[in-house]
Amino acid sequence: MTKPYKDIKSENFFIREFSSDTPTFELVWHRDKEDREIEILDGEGWQFQLQDCLPWLLKKGMVFDIKKEEYHRLIKGATPLKCRICNYG
């Protein structure tokens, strides 16, 4: 199975890009192995959802954390999504 995104790696972070053509079924609930800090760099209409919570709209400049082993998913938007991801912990 291929991943629904492309990564551009840097020394301390990576840039992750999701196409607006990504099929919805590829954006699955999942957990990460490390804590992460996410910064939204670009994208319109994308939403983020944590388990047992309502989704919220992602906006350029928004920064938030995802805890290790916390179930979450993306909901597809209208334009490509680009975010900066830092692993920590």
Side-chain angles (χ1 to χ4, degrees), residues 42-57:
D42 206 6
E44 295 291 329
W46 289 80
Q47 296 179 67
F48 180 82
Q49 185 174 16
L50 293 170
Q51 183 176 7
D52 299 325
C53 296
L54 293 172
W56 69 81
L57 185 64

Side-chain angles (χ1 to χ4, degrees), residues 24-87:
T24 301
F25 70 84
E26 289 188 16
L27 300 172
V28 298
W29 287 97
H30 66 283
R31 297 182 289 184
D32 298 328
K33 294 179 182 178
E34 299 178 75
D35 290 341
R36 293 185 167 180
E37 179 184 85
I38 312 295
E39 178 183 4
I40 305 303
L41 303 175
D42 206 6
E44 295 291 329
W46 289 80
Q47 296 179 67
F48 180 82
Q49 185 174 16
L50 293 170
Q51 183 176 7
D52 299 325
C53 296
L54 293 172
W56 69 81
L57 185 64
L58 298 175
K59 296 181 181 179
K60 185 175 182 176
M62 181 181 283
V63 178
F64 59 95
D65 294 328
I66 302 172
K67 301 290 184 204
K68 172 183 174 180
E69 299 297 325
E70 188 171 52
Y71 271 107
H72 61 279
R73 70 173 179 158
L74 281 173
I75 298 170
K76 186 168 76 165
T79 66
L81 176 67
K82 184 188 270 189
C83 53
R84 180 188 56 80
I85 301 175
C86 292
N87 291 336

